[in-house]
Amino acid sequence: MTERQPAEEYLDGYAEILAGVCTTRRTLTREEREALRSRGERAAEAGIGLRAVVRAHLSAAQRVRPGLPQAAADHLLAAVEQAVDAFAEGHERAQRVAMRQEEAARREFIDDLLYGRSDLGRLAERAERFGLLLSHAHAVAVAQGREPYGDGYEVARTVESSLAARFGNRRILLTTKDGRLICVAPADEPDVLAHFAKQAHAATDGGQVAVGRPHPGAGGVVHSYEEALNALDLAARMNLDDPVLYAADLLVYPVLTRDRQAMADLVRTVLGPLQQARGGPKPLLDTLTAYFDTGCVTAQAARSLSLSVRAMTYRLDRIHRLTGADPGDPVQRYTLQTAVIGARLLDWPDQPL
C-alpha cells in the first residue's frame, strides 16, 4: 500500500466538488468548505500527514482535468487552491487541538511526577510515554536565571536542541517548572546532566544550575528534584556563586541547620560579641567570611575585600579580642567558621536570633 492510498480515503466527493466549481466558475460554498475542513480534521486524527493529503488532492485534480471543457479547466487551479486551503485549515486545527491535549497531558504528568502525586504504578506507565523508565534510578538538574522561563521560550528550545543533537533519543525529560529549566536523566548517564548544566548556564546568561543526587523509582525523582531546589535556595542564602552546584557536595549544610535553635545559640554565643565593634558586626563578619572562603590566606582575603594586608590583620586581631577565638588557631577556627556558616544560613545580623 502506497502512502497516497490512505490519504485518498478522505477525498470522497472531492472530484465532484471540483467539477461543479469549474463548470460554474464559482467559489466553494460554505458547506463545501466546512465538509473539507471536517475531512482535514479526520485525516489529521488518523495520522495522515499534510504533505500526503496535498499530494492526493493534486493527483485527484489531474484525473478530473481531462473530463472538463477547456473553459472550465482554466478554473481548475483556483478551485484546487480553495479546496486544499479548506482541507489544510481543518488538518491544522486538529493538529493544534492534539498538541494542546498532549501539552496538557505532559504538564499533568510532570506535576504528578515532581510533586509525588498519583498512583506509582500508573505514574510509571505514563512515564514510558514521555521516555522515562521509573524502575531505574534518575537524577534531576534544575536551572534558574534572571527571569522565569516557559516551555516555548527560546532558552528552553536552545537547551533542548543541544541535548537532542548530542544525545539523540536517550531517555531524557526536559521541561520547565515554576520558571526554571528542569532535566531528568538516568543516573548512569551523568554526562547528560553535565551537558545540560553547561548549556543552561550559557542560555540563561550566567544562570545557576543545581544537580540532585541519583535516587531510584518515582519517589527518587521527587527526592532528587527537591535536593536541587534546596541547593539553589542554599546558594541564595549563602551567596554561593558557583555556576553548577551538586547536592552531594552540600550535605553538610542541612546537617548544620537541622537543629536551628542550637545553631542560633552558637551564632549568638560566638559572634554576638562582634556587635560591640564600631560600625556593628557586619564588617568583621564579612572579614571572617572572606578569610575562610580564601582558605585562610590573609593576603588573598584582603584583596577580595579591597583592604591592605595590614588592615586585614588588624580586623582579625580585633575579632580575636572581641570573641576570644583566634581565627589562626585550627581548633578555634573550626568553631568560628561553623558560626559564620550559621550566621549566613540564619541571615544574621539582619535577622534577629
Side-chain angles (χ1 to χ4, degrees):
M1 182 178 288
T2 65
E3 184 184 11
R4 181 168 53 193
Q5 288 173 321
E8 290 178 344
E9 296 177 8
Y10 299 91
L11 300 185
D12 292 341
Y14 173 62
E16 290 76 8
I17 291 176
L18 288 183
V21 170
C22 291
T23 300
T24 60
R25 297 193 178 188
R26 62 177 175 82
T27 60
L28 269 67
T29 65
R30 178 181 299 177
E31 291 75 15
E32 289 169 338
R33 287 181 180 274
E34 190 53 43
L36 288 167
R37 291 190 190 101
S38 179
R39 292 172 190 171
E41 289 181 352
R42 295 200 303 273
E45 292 167 355
I48 307 297
L50 188 57
R51 184 175 64 176
V53 295
V54 169
R55 188 165 60 239
H57 277 75
L58 296 177
S59 297
Q62 289 178 333
R63 293 192 294 270
V64 169
R65 191 180 190 286
L68 296 175
Q70 182 58 45
D74 293 340
H75 194 65
L76 180 62
L77 184 59
V80 171
E81 180 182 3
Q82 296 173 55
V84 169
D85 182 69
F87 195 97
E89 183 181 349
H91 193 281
E92 291 171 356
R93 184 164 60 192
Q95 292 281 42
R96 287 193 298 270
V97 170
M99 286 178 62
R100 284 195 294 269
Q101 291 174 340
E102 179 71 12
E103 289 172 358
R106 186 172 184 269
R107 178 54 56 193
E108 182 181 3
F109 165 73
I110 290 168
D111 288 344
D112 290 346
L113 176 66
L114 296 182
Y115 287 124
R117 296 195 295 253
S118 184
D119 173 75
L120 292 182
R122 175 63 180 143
L123 192 63
E125 293 178 5
R126 293 161 63 198
E128 292 189 27
R129 174 182 174 186
F130 299 100
L132 296 181
L133 292 177
L134 294 184
S135 57
H136 298 174
H138 290 82
V140 180
V142 179
Q144 67 180 14
R146 296 183 178 89
E147 59 185 74
Y149 306 103
D151 286 337
Y153 283 52
E154 183 179 354
V155 166
R157 292 197 305 269
T158 298
V159 176
E160 184 174 18
S161 297
S162 179
L163 283 172
R166 175 77 178 273
F167 301 106
N169 294 323
R170 297 192 196 181
R171 294 183 177 276
I172 303 168
L173 176 63
L174 182 69
T175 186
T176 61
K177 182 71 178 168
D178 298 330
R180 303 182 183 95
L181 297 177
I182 298 169
C183 182
V184 183
D188 58 357
E189 297 195 34
D191 53 330
V192 172
L193 294 185
H195 185 75
F196 167 80
K198 179 180 178 181
Q199 297 301 317
H201 174 69
T204 56
D205 192 23
Q208 199 167 39
V209 184
V211 182
R213 292 179 296 164
H215 298 282
V221 174
V222 179
H223 193 178
S224 185
Y225 172 62
E226 290 176 345
E227 286 183 340
L229 290 181
N230 290 337
L232 289 173
D233 178 65
L234 179 65
R237 288 190 287 156
M238 295 289 294
N239 296 318
L240 304 178
D241 58 2
D242 305 59
V244 183
L245 304 164
Y246 289 91
D249 297 335
L250 304 174
L251 292 176
V252 66
Y253 295 105
V255 172
L256 292 175
T257 57
R258 191 161 295 161
D259 190 337
R260 181 183 176 89
Q261 186 57 50
M263 179 57 74
D265 287 343
L266 177 67
V267 173
R268 192 163 37 239
T269 301
V270 176
L271 301 179
L274 297 182
Q275 296 179 96
Q276 303 172 26
R278 183 181 301 172
K282 193 71 165 60
L284 295 182
L285 187 59
D286 290 343
T287 299
L288 283 173
T289 299
Y291 184 66
F292 294 134
D293 286 350
T294 57
C296 301
V297 179
T298 304
Q300 187 176 346
R303 284 195 297 272
S304 70
L305 293 174
S306 300
L307 296 174
S308 67
V309 173
R310 181 178 179 180
M312 184 71 186
T313 303
Y314 171 79
R315 284 192 179 188
L316 292 174
D317 182 64
R318 180 66 173 154
I319 290 168
H320 185 190
R321 283 187 280 115
L322 286 171
T323 64
D326 182 4
D329 180 87
V331 176
Q332 297 178 21
R333 176 193 306 158
Y334 176 78
T335 301
L336 274 173
Q337 187 167 8
T338 304
V340 168
I341 292 173
R344 294 167 75 175
L345 290 171
L346 300 177
D347 197 22
W348 184 85
D350 293 337
Q351 296 295 327
L353 298 176

